[in-house]
């Protein structure tokens, strides 16, 4: 079993005191050049690596922030993580990236781990919409910021997108293409985003003077491609069949697209399709996918900035903020009805 080399071993090898080694590591300008070089040579020879956990205990603050997302298989969350990591890296902090897999129980386990590790702060897209997991986590006094969720500013910071507007943009576009019957394929309706996007879809129908029955709701168990394929199969069984589909995210839309292709249904000639998130694969689909773009990288970046502001030297000046970003409709072939 490998043995850990400590500061005492370095001091012994260099023929100096433990305090001198500590100064070389933390305050090298205080040590004479010859002594500093001797200590540094001993560090290299012995393979010494300082204990970051011990340093953090002395400093009283971790250099790790945690990011807990619903599904790391979704490229949307990869972009969120990239934005957060860019901010953390600039401040010489690390990011612990975790995946709740949309599970309330796994989310609770991770929050418990974050508390045990006394991380600096947490960026979270919560799976537990009851708030019980976070109510328990609050007791530890570790700051957190909601990502892709709205949190009342009195309770903490949040960075999200106006999903009601996003749903309105998507369905308004389909109605402008001449469709009068639209299916909404959502993930679990316990998720606020899914409810908000449906609300936006219904606003677009109301604007067009169409009845609520013009929107057919198909709820998927998860927000992934497999669930989208299953939802697509159910869509094909509807009678009468809607001529357009709005999906709560692009992975669902890609799954629906696969199901339609397998059944020989042409997109967009027989059924138009709109997704949400505008992940990289949307433009590269067999039929390029129209999608509501969320500024995922910016969302992650701004959330991390808020968290570092709340945990930094000027934390006493921090005021909780609720930032809501605007979505953008990106139109591609999947929703454009051919004009005759």
């Amino acid at each position: 079993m490998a043995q850990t080399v400590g500061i005492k071993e370095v001091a012994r090898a260099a023929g100096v005191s433990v305090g001198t080694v500590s100064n070389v590591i933390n305050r090298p300008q205080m040590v004479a050049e010859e002594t500093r070089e001797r200590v540094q040579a001993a560090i290299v020879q012995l393979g010494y690596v300082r204990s970051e956990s011990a340093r953090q205990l002395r400093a009283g603050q971790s250099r790790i922030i945690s990011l807990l997302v619903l599904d790391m298989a979704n490229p949307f969350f990869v972009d969120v993580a990239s934005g957060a990591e860019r901010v953390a890296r600039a401040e010489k902090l690390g990011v612990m990236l975790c995946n709740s897999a949309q599970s309330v129980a796994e989310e609770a386990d991770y929050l418990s781990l974050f508390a045990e590790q006394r991380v600096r702060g947490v960026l979270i897209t919560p799976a537990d919409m009851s708030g019980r997991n976070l109510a328990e986590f609050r007791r530890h006094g570790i700051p957190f910021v909601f990502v892709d969720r709205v949190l009342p500013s009195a309770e903490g910071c949040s960075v999200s997108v106006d999903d009601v507007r996003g749903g309105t943009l998507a369905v308004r576009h389909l109605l402008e293409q001449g469709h009068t019957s639209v299916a909404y394929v959502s993930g679990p309706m316990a998720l606020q985003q899914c409810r908000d996007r449906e609300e936006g879809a219904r606003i677009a129908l109301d604007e067009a003077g169409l009845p609520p029955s013009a929107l057919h709701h198909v709820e998927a168990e998860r927000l992934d491609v497999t669930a989208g394929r299953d939802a697509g199969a159910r869509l094909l069984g509807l009678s009468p069949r809607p001529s357009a589909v709005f999906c709560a995210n692009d992975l669902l839309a890609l799954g629906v697209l696969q199901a339609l292709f397998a059944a020989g249904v042409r997109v967009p000639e027989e059924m138009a399709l709109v997704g949400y998130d505008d992940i990289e694969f949307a433009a590269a689909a067999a039929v390029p996918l129209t999608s509501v773009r969320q500024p995922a990288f910016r969302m992650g970046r701004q959330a991390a900035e808020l968290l570092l502001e709340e945990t930094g030297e000027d934390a006493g000046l921090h005021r909780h903020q609720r930032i809501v970003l605007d979505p953008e409709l990106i139109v591609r072939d999947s929703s454009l009805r051919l004009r005759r």
Side-chain angles (χ1 to χ4, degrees):
M1 182 178 296
Q3 293 184 335
T4 301
V5 175
I7 195 170
K8 291 181 180 179
E9 287 75 19
V10 174
R12 189 180 303 118
V16 299
S17 68
V18 169
T20 298
V21 176
S22 178
N23 282 337
V24 170
I25 295 170
N26 299 298
R27 296 171 294 277
Q29 71 279 4
M30 297 180 62
V31 183
E33 183 178 358
E34 180 183 347
T35 303
R36 188 168 65 241
E37 290 177 352
R38 192 162 72 249
V39 171
Q40 289 171 340
I43 287 173
V44 172
Q45 179 184 357
L46 297 175
Y48 167 77
V49 178
R50 73 175 179 177
S51 171
E52 179 60 23
S53 60
R55 191 204 67 81
Q56 289 176 182
L57 284 172
R58 291 192 298 272
Q61 188 174 47
S62 172
R63 292 178 59 235
I64 299 295
I65 64 174
S66 297
L67 173 60
L68 180 58
V69 301
L70 293 177
D71 182 10
M72 273 311 299
N74 187 339
F76 166 76
F77 287 113
V78 175
D79 289 342
V80 169
S82 295
E85 192 272 342
R86 184 72 58 85
V87 172
R89 184 178 178 84
E91 296 297 323
K92 301 190 185 312
L93 301 175
V95 178
M96 180 192 300
L97 180 57
C98 301
N99 178 25
S100 71
Q102 303 176 44
S103 165
V104 173
E106 290 191 34
E107 176 182 274
D109 288 343
Y110 275 122
L111 289 173
S112 178
L113 174 64
F114 301 158
E116 290 173 4
Q117 296 296 318
R118 301 300 300 173
V119 298
R120 177 168 178 155
V122 176
L123 306 174
I124 180 171
T125 305
D128 176 22
M129 297 312 297
S130 74
R132 284 190 292 268
N133 282 346
L134 281 167
E136 177 68 21
F137 184 70
R138 285 179 190 273
R139 297 170 50 210
H140 302 286
I142 299 174
F144 61 86
V145 175
F146 271 20
V147 183
D148 198 30
R149 288 285 195 286
V150 175
L151 180 68
S153 57
E155 299 179 25
C157 291
S158 64
V159 183
S160 61
V161 165
D162 187 345
D163 283 317
V164 174
R165 175 165 172 72
T168 302
L169 289 173
V171 174
R172 184 185 290 157
H173 167 69
L174 290 171
L175 300 180
E176 289 171 350
Q177 298 301 306
H179 300 282
T180 57
S181 179
V182 179
Y184 173 52
V185 176
S186 76
M189 290 299 282
L191 298 177
Q192 186 65 45
Q193 296 105 312
C194 292
R195 298 199 300 272
D196 286 348
R197 292 166 195 178
E198 181 188 34
E199 180 183 346
R202 294 195 179 281
I203 288 173
L205 292 174
D206 186 62
E207 288 176 348
L210 293 171
S213 59
L215 188 71
H216 306 265
H217 183 202
V218 177
E219 182 175 355
E221 292 184 358
R222 298 178 63 81
L223 289 157
D224 57 27
V225 174
T226 300
R229 283 197 296 268
D230 175 69
R234 283 185 280 157
L235 273 174
L236 293 169
L238 293 178
S239 181
R241 183 188 295 173
S243 62
V245 186
F246 165 45
C247 295
N249 79 356
D250 286 343
L251 296 183
L252 285 173
L254 293 172
V256 168
L257 184 62
Q258 290 178 8
L260 297 180
F261 270 18
V265 176
R266 294 174 299 161
V267 176
E269 293 86 349
E270 295 177 82
M271 189 172 289
L273 184 61
V274 174
Y276 205 103
D277 290 340
D278 194 34
I279 62 176
E280 184 178 355
F281 300 125
V287 178
L289 182 65
T290 294
S291 185
V292 178
R293 175 178 293 168
Q294 297 199 83
F297 183 91
R298 180 181 170 192
M299 197 182 302
R301 186 190 70 213
Q302 290 194 259
E305 288 171 348
L306 288 173
L307 185 64
L308 297 191
E309 179 184 286
E310 187 173 356
T311 60
E313 294 180 357
D314 297 324
L317 302 176
H318 174 79
R319 296 294 179 268
H320 292 322
Q321 297 182 54
R322 182 175 66 179
I323 297 174
V324 181
L325 305 175
D326 288 327
E328 177 187 4
L329 182 70
I330 306 300
V331 178
R332 301 189 180 96
D333 293 351
S334 71
S335 64
L336 293 175
R337 172 167 280 183
L338 298 178
R339 305 293 185 186
R340 289 184 173 85

